[in-house]
Amino acid sequence: FMLLSVGDGRLELNIYSYFRDLGRRRCNVAAFMPEAAGFDGVSDRSALQEFSVSNSESFWAAVARQRLSWIRPFHTVQDCDLSRGEIKWFVGGQLNVSVNCLDRHVHTCPERVALIWERDESGSEVKVTYRSLLEMTCRLGNLLRRHGVKRGDCVTIYMPTCPLAVASMLACARIGAAHNVVFAGFSAEALAERIRDAQSGTVITVNQGVRGGKVTELKKTVDTAVQSCPAVQQVFVAMRTENPVAMTARDVAMEEEMLKEDVVCEPAAMDSEDVLFLLYTSGSTGKPKGLVHTQAGYLLYAALTHRYVFSYHDGDVFGCVADIGWITGHSYSVYGPLANGGTTVLFESTPIYPDPGRYWEMVQRLKINQFYGAPTAIRLLLKYGDEWVHKYDRSTLKTLGSVGEPINTEAWEWYHRVVGDGRCPVVDTWWQTETGGICISPRPSDADAEIVPGMAMRPFFSIKPTLMDTEGKVLTSNDVSGALCIAQPWPGMARTIHNNHQRFIETYCRPHPGYFFTGDGAYRSKEGYYQITGRLDDVINVSGHRIGTAEIEDNQCAAVAESAVIGYSHDLKGQGVYAFVVLKNDVEVQGAALCQQLNNMVSKKIAKYACPDFIQFVQRLPKTRSGKIMRRVLRKVVERDLDGVGDLSTLDDPTAVQEIIQGHGDLCGKQP
Ligand code: WTA
């Protein structure tokens, strides 16, 4: 300041503008995230990002105090040891997730719309305010309690996306029970397996589901499932349609009984690390695994990513079209938006019902500000042409999101140019059931920061992506590809696999000790941006749905000796399912009838989406001398990359490959 009195006009001006800019930047970053005002040396967004990574504890402590309502404050921010798979956040703290999602908003704005239920029947949406969602949740919480559901019990929810499903999730959270939502497209067998593994004594369902104009018999599926689940004592049945269903002694008419309950329900004080929910997903070996998410860390991570990745602001209408049966539905249709006091759309229908304009007509009618969907749907709609988009007013849209699988450049460009009229940032968000929320995404970043089509690009706050080479060494340079790991724990990560912590450690912690291994491969560009290259294990991704090849192979068809299932690149679905099947010696029938039979089995055991697109019958599978099926070889055959088949000298019987190449050519000439 002495300098100012020297009277050098230029210097004075420079110093003035230096302090003015500094002030502005500080002010900007605090306006962007109020907590940043308390972080030392954080004056702009890139400093905030760095701070969140190198001072992750201070970052999350401040955010947790600011953004969650605590019954009792936490005393320890985190207590984690990634190498042992021990993850704890906000230790000592107590809270109730339903209070965070409902009560605190009812205090400030009871009449704000929490849910817009976009029913299958277009134009018949139902709005639910925070006040009425709290009432619904409380009645349900009381009902569950009256029927003996206790803190720590697990309730399975087999319902389409609808307000009662959300209220069921929140009612569990209110009374301290864990929920286990099972996608309503899963078969009775798949449902039963998940009910048993979760040791669930209570199931919530609806009489019938309605999707794309078709009715599905969900209650009947539950009836079949619970026959092999002796622990199930009660099934609550809500009415999605007016058609009555047969009720047994175990069944409870949900809405009727809810009416008898009080609209006030005492929330349970839950520890930060108590279980909030299980969600089953496919792994590379046989059985699906029930990933466990806990209370505070999960909720906070879902809320913060929802707020910042999509730039969600008060009053916006958020449209995530995922089903609540998947993690995307959990984090971005339910928990993230509700924790933020937002208005969230529950989409019950399909992208092409009643016609391919469904999404955009809905955007216009509901005035949606952020739209979050899957690449497979974008690719499908792109084929129907631009008119279906142009017909509707999309001027409310501010951000477009993509999730679940890689989005190819053509689909990305179309989403950006046609759907968003070139105005809206498109965020390709990478994450997993295991990560709880978005980990890599082009936003948040500066408003004018570049976005590269088809790239997730930038790590979210506190996320430290690391690439490993095949020897397990950290790759430090840019323009490299490797196994994608995350180098430090974050609050949203899964804590364990239900009843199988050993599998959790082996899958995620052991491959690269000290790191969380994602199972995906990634490329880091010259600029340092991340692009996901796909799974490194035997998990395939069909229309954004994960499925383990082993789950499909593991079927009990009497005619089949053995089989090998692989994923191949598919125009619409991202990946299709290709099955190589070896029949038992004495089997005569082949061809269409047997294909049909195998498809039915897969659809009965898992779900329709897991059915093979191609079934090729072969005499034998290519194997190593130690008897391992060489999937790499099968993949190359299906990709028609015969040069890539590589060294066959380790094969037990190289002629098997010749036969397979021949058969593949014949088959793909015939089938679509
Ligand atoms: C894949 C869905 C490329 C990935 C939220 C991951 C993606 C798996 C992307 C998780 C993306 C998800 N780009 N691939 N933006 N997002 N994936 O558990 O292989 O159903 O491991 O969670 O989907 O699928 P999940």
Side-chain angles (χ1 to χ4, degrees), residues 16-28 43:
Y16 169 74
S17 58
Y18 172 77
F19 282 106
R20 186 198 56 200
D21 289 351
L22 189 70
R24 237 185 230 162
R25 286 213 304 270
R26 269 188 186 284
C27 173
N28 266 343
S43 56

Side-chain angles (χ1 to χ4, degrees), residues 42-119:
V42 171
S43 56
D44 59 19
R45 289 198 194 182
S46 72
L48 177 59
Q49 177 63 30
E50 277 163 36
F51 182 91
S52 74
V53 174
S54 47
N55 297 281
S56 133
E57 275 202 34
S58 320
F59 176 85
W60 286 112
V63 173
R65 286 190 193 106
Q66 172 85 16
R67 291 173 197 254
L68 294 179
S69 294
W70 295 89
I71 296 170
R72 191 175 79 194
F74 52 91
H75 54 65
T76 304
V77 184
Q78 61 137 333
D79 180 8
C80 301
D81 179 351
L82 266 184
S83 56
R84 289 190 306 129
E86 300 284 328
I87 317 291
K88 290 191 189 117
W89 283 86
F90 311 119
V91 186
Q94 285 193 327
L95 78 174
N96 184 280
V97 165
S98 79
V99 169
N100 275 275
C101 289
L102 300 173
D103 305 55
R104 59 174 174 162
H105 310 311
V106 171
H107 287 137
T108 55
C109 42
E111 298 314 319
R112 182 184 287 176
V113 174
L115 310 175
I116 306 178
W117 180 24
E118 174 68 4
R119 301 167 76 238

